[in-house]
Amino acid sequence: MRMDNYSHEIINDDTRLQLFFLPVSTDSSCSPLHWHGHLEILLMQKGYMTACVNEQKYTLKKDDMLVVNPKELHTTKTWGSAGYLLLQIPYDYLSRVLDHVSLIQFQEFFPSITMNSTQHRLLDCLVELSEIYEKKEDGYLLHFSSVVYEFLYILYRNHSHRISRQAREKANYNFERIEEVIHYVKSNYKKEISLNEAAGLLNVSPEYFCRLFKKQTGQTFLEYLNAVRLLHFHQDLLDTDYSINDLLTRNGITNYKVFMRAFKDTYGTTPGRIRAQVKD
Amino acid sequence: MRMDNYSHEIINDDTRLQLFFLPVSTDSSCSPLHWHGHLEILLMQKGYMTACVNEQKYTLKKDDMLVVNPKELHTTKTWGSAGYLLLQIPYDYLSRVLDHVSLIQFQEFFPSITMNSTQHRLLDCLVELSEIYEKKEDGYLLHFSSVVYEFLYILYRNHSHRISRQAREKANYNFERIEEVIHYVKSNYKKEISLNEAAGLLNVSPEYFCRLFKKQTGQTFLEYLNAVRLLHFHQDLLDTDYSINDLLTRNGITNYKVFMRAFKDTYGTTPGRIRAQVKD
């Protein structure tokens, strides 16, 4: 799955279903800090994923389920060959059938090892969705919709809680501040970005900025900045014929050694080998 | 259930659910020939109903289910104290999840006496809907939607067939002709309407008109005309203080004896008694 726009993950709402569902197969892939207005559900089917939602880190293996609430900052990274089911429910889809959606907080992590009966039913629903989606029998959208609503009903009744308006407002305030930084990085990653500069966006000291960013996103600002540059570098490697040295410069990458280690960590190979494969 | 506009039955689409559901309790009630763009499902729970859909007549008792396809002319009449579940699905709701909805013809009548397992499941779905609707627990619209889609899926997969484009066009043509007559009656029932006049609308002879109307609607033109006048007379009896004689004249009713018999047949009482009750 390519991420052309990594800050708002691309969601192809099926105009008929009004939601997005996809069984994803991928080799080592990474999607840096991003957010979207959708409720996202992820069921791991093969391999491993690490995910960070707000300040919380999770490792997902087969049958673990992750729920990302709307507008929550998150990062995902798969390791080696991985497969998962991805279901994204638009905010409007929820607010048509639920009151005060903005005050609903769904449980985030459902590890398979501690699953109870309602969690098992949730997992079964997702597997059923993938079977319906696979077969696409006549009338399958009716069946699909029925199971999606059943899933949401069980999730809502058993694995959600209300948060207060104050808590939501505070979360929104923190979210908007980090969003401003993300937006800035997205527009300026090609050039050098100093901590002072980033902290200046929020009118706070560099020290406070570092703590805030790490607390809200689970990663340091530098880790995030490097991840954005890494993603663009990798994309350019596939899409252009600029030399690797050119691409380093064009994507604002200065610390070659640190960068190469991160690249190998993420893609399991070197830029040179990827370029050679593309040319073949 | 009042019918203020009897030609297009009033459908209060719930803006959130995007469909209409109502457990109906009624004493002798009658809804003359009408149609709507919705798919209508009716499950009898108490008492009796006679229904006429296109040229077909049905008698419904407890647990019998009737499905009226979109844009089909139909009449319903309950006898004595009756109760039923009414589910109406907008055409758009269907076309979002089904291809070529206009060519789908759902089975009309599901008598309880010959029910198989899928029919039983349909019945269970409707009863489940009424329980969900009754309780209105937090999140009930999710549950409700799930069951509605399950119902439609079972109905579509097991109790529908495709009709040809030619058959649909012919049905549409016949429908439009009768619709023109219905519209005319609705606007002119207060004055005398002769068979010649009605037949003239379709440029056919009175004899052919009578056969056509009876074939398409299951009732004679005169029966239909009387039913419209009866409904308006009854409504005025409740809503105005005009004398009964005035109301007869104002609603184009000339044959007093025939009319009184029909009134007693439908409402189980006389106009005089109803007027006396209203005044109490």
Side-chain angles (χ1 to χ4, degrees):
Chain A
M1 200 175 47
R2 281 259 193 100
M3 296 291 166
D4 294 320
N5 176 338
Y6 53 86
S7 180
H8 299 60
E9 192 172 321
I10 290 175
I11 314 263
N12 300 309
D13 279 0
D14 185 305
T15 50
R16 301 188 72 187
L17 264 190
Q18 301 177 297
L19 51 80
F20 179 84
F21 180 78
L22 193 70
V24 179
S25 270
T26 176
D27 276 318
S28 305
S29 69
C30 136
S31 122
L33 203 58
H34 67 284
W35 64 273
H36 41 67
H38 295 57
L39 175 70
E40 177 167 297
I41 295 110
L42 230 147
L43 177 68
M44 212 60 198
Q45 294 201 299
K46 186 189 155 199
Y48 295 90
M49 172 183 282
T50 48
C52 188
V53 184
N54 293 328
E55 57 266 61
Q56 200 64 46
K57 284 192 181 179
Y58 304 107
T59 303
L60 282 79
K61 54 180 198 325
K62 187 168 164 30
D63 291 341
D64 289 346
M65 189 172 89
L66 181 74
V67 173
V68 182
N69 284 279
K71 276 200 170 188
E72 278 194 346
L73 292 162
H74 58 289
T75 320
T76 57
K77 192 165 177 175
T78 58
W79 304 87
S81 169
Y84 56 91
L85 300 179
L86 180 66
L87 174 64
Q88 292 173 321
I89 317 273
Y91 194 85
D92 285 352
Y93 194 97
L94 290 173
S95 55
R96 214 167 46 221
V97 279
L98 280 173
D99 292 320
H100 310 301
V101 179
S102 69
L103 302 182
I104 298 168
Q105 190 77 12
F106 293 99
Q107 180 183 327
E108 279 179 356
F109 190 48
F110 299 77
S112 65
I113 204 155
T114 59
M115 274 206 183
N116 63 20
S117 64
T118 63
Q119 296 187 33
H120 263 297
R121 184 65 202 124
L122 289 174
L123 196 142
D124 289 347
C125 280
L126 292 178
V127 173
E128 210 177 330
L129 287 182
S130 76
E131 287 165 2
I132 298 167
Y133 179 86
E134 187 72 33
K135 286 189 199 151
K136 288 196 176 51
E137 288 181 349
D138 188 23
Y140 81 101
L141 290 181
L142 290 168
H143 195 188
F144 196 95
S145 301
S146 171
V147 177
V148 166
Y149 278 112
E150 186 188 347
F151 176 90
L152 291 174
Y153 178 63
I154 298 169
L155 186 70
Y156 174 70
R157 291 287 295 189
N158 301 282
H159 304 284
S160 75
H161 65 275
R162 293 256 157 157
I163 61 172
S164 67
R165 271 189 202 284
Q166 289 86 334
R168 172 55 69 211
E169 273 158 25
K170 193 176 166 210
N172 282 351
Y173 174 69
N174 287 331
F175 169 79
E176 275 161 24
R177 296 214 288 178
I178 300 298
E179 220 291 307
E180 199 172 333
V181 177
I182 291 179
H183 182 74
Y184 185 78
V185 168
K186 205 180 119 183
S187 312
N188 296 285
Y189 70 92
K190 287 171 198 266
K191 63 182 185 76
E192 210 186 310
I193 301 178
S194 70
L195 260 180
N196 275 326
E197 206 176 330
L201 292 169
L202 309 186
N203 288 317
V204 295
S205 72
E207 293 73 26
Y208 182 79
F209 174 78
C210 284
R211 280 204 306 280
L212 180 75
F213 196 92
K214 171 86 180 177
K215 186 174 171 341
Q216 296 295 321
T217 68
Q219 60 190 299
T220 68
F221 176 66
L222 210 64
E223 281 169 343
Y224 168 62
L225 184 56
N226 285 339
V228 171
R229 288 172 171 157
L230 187 73
L231 185 88
H232 281 281
F233 175 87
H234 180 249
Q235 202 68 64
D236 290 348
L237 204 58
L238 301 172
D239 293 347
T240 74
D241 61 359
Y242 287 121
S243 75
I244 289 175
N245 268 337
D246 274 358
L247 289 182
L248 290 170
T249 314
R250 295 176 77 93
N251 286 299
I253 298 156
T254 48
N255 191 330
Y256 182 77
K257 238 171 144 180
V258 170
F259 173 76
M260 277 308 171
R261 202 163 45 230
F263 191 94
K264 239 189 135 179
D265 242 31
T266 304
Y267 298 105
T269 182
T270 65
R273 269 187 227 129
I274 289 185
R275 181 47 66 80
Q277 280 168 3
V278 174
K279 281 193 174 156
D280 275 352
Chain B
M1 201 175 49
R2 280 259 192 99
M3 295 292 164
D4 294 320
N5 177 337
Y6 53 84
S7 180
H8 298 61
E9 192 173 321
I10 289 175
I11 314 261
N12 300 309
D13 278 1
D14 185 306
T15 50
R16 303 188 71 187
L17 264 189
Q18 302 179 296
L19 51 79
F20 179 85
F21 180 79
L22 193 70
V24 179
S25 269
T26 177
D27 276 318
S28 306
S29 70
C30 135
S31 125
L33 204 58
H34 68 283
W35 64 273
H36 41 68
H38 294 57
L39 175 69
E40 176 166 297
I41 295 112
L42 230 148
L43 176 68
M44 212 61 199
Q45 295 201 298
K46 186 188 156 200
Y48 295 90
M49 173 184 281
T50 49
C52 189
V53 184
N54 292 331
E55 57 266 63
Q56 200 65 44
K57 285 191 181 177
Y58 303 108
T59 303
L60 280 80
K61 56 181 197 323
K62 187 169 165 28
D63 291 340
D64 289 346
M65 190 173 88
L66 181 74
V67 173
V68 182
N69 285 279
K71 274 198 171 191
E72 278 195 345
L73 292 162
H74 59 288
T75 320
T76 57
K77 191 165 178 175
T78 57
W79 304 86
S81 169
Y84 55 91
L85 300 178
L86 179 67
L87 173 65
Q88 291 173 323
I89 317 272
Y91 194 85
D92 285 351
Y93 192 97
L94 290 172
S95 55
R96 214 168 45 222
V97 279
L98 279 173
D99 292 320
H100 310 301
V101 179
S102 69
L103 302 182
I104 298 168
Q105 190 77 11
F106 293 99
Q107 180 183 327
E108 279 178 356
F109 190 48
F110 299 77
S112 65
I113 203 155
T114 59
M115 274 208 184
N116 63 20
S117 65
T118 63
Q119 296 186 33
H120 264 295
R121 184 64 202 125
L122 290 174
L123 195 143
D124 289 345
C125 281
L126 293 178
V127 173
E128 210 176 331
L129 287 182
S130 76
E131 287 164 1
I132 298 168
Y133 179 86
E134 187 71 34
K135 286 189 201 153
K136 289 196 176 52
E137 288 180 348
D138 187 24
Y140 81 101
L141 290 180
L142 289 168
H143 195 188
F144 196 94
S145 301
S146 172
V147 178
V148 165
Y149 278 113
E150 186 188 347
F151 176 90
L152 290 173
Y153 178 64
I154 298 169
L155 185 71
Y156 175 69
R157 291 287 294 190
N158 301 282
H159 305 284
S160 77
H161 66 275
R162 294 255 155 157
I163 61 171
S164 68
R165 272 189 202 284
Q166 290 85 334
R168 171 56 67 211
E169 274 158 25
K170 194 177 166 210
N172 282 350
Y173 173 70
N174 287 331
F175 168 80
E176 276 160 24
R177 296 215 286 180
I178 300 298
E179 218 293 305
E180 199 172 333
V181 178
I182 289 179
H183 182 75
Y184 184 80
V185 169
K186 204 181 118 181
S187 312
N188 297 283
Y189 70 93
K190 288 172 198 267
K191 62 183 186 78
E192 211 186 310
I193 301 177
S194 69
L195 260 181
N196 275 326
E197 205 176 331
L201 292 169
L202 309 186
N203 287 318
V204 296
S205 71
E207 294 73 25
Y208 182 78
F209 174 79
C210 285
R211 280 204 306 279
L212 180 74
F213 195 93
K214 170 88 182 177
K215 187 174 172 341
Q216 295 297 320
T217 69
Q219 60 191 300
T220 68
F221 176 67
L222 211 63
E223 282 168 344
Y224 168 62
L225 184 56
N226 285 339
V228 171
R229 288 171 172 158
L230 186 73
L231 185 88
H232 281 279
F233 174 88
H234 180 249
Q235 202 68 64
D236 291 348
L237 205 57
L238 300 172
D239 293 347
T240 74
D241 61 358
Y242 288 119
S243 75
I244 290 175
N245 268 338
D246 275 358
L247 289 182
L248 291 171
T249 315
R250 295 177 77 93
N251 287 297
I253 298 156
T254 48
N255 192 328
Y256 182 79
K257 236 171 145 182
V258 169
F259 172 77
M260 278 308 173
R261 202 162 45 231
F263 190 95
K264 238 190 135 180
D265 242 30
T266 303
Y267 299 104
T269 183
T270 65
R273 269 187 227 128
I274 288 185
R275 182 44 70 79
Q277 279 166 4
V278 174
K279 281 191 175 157
D280 277 351

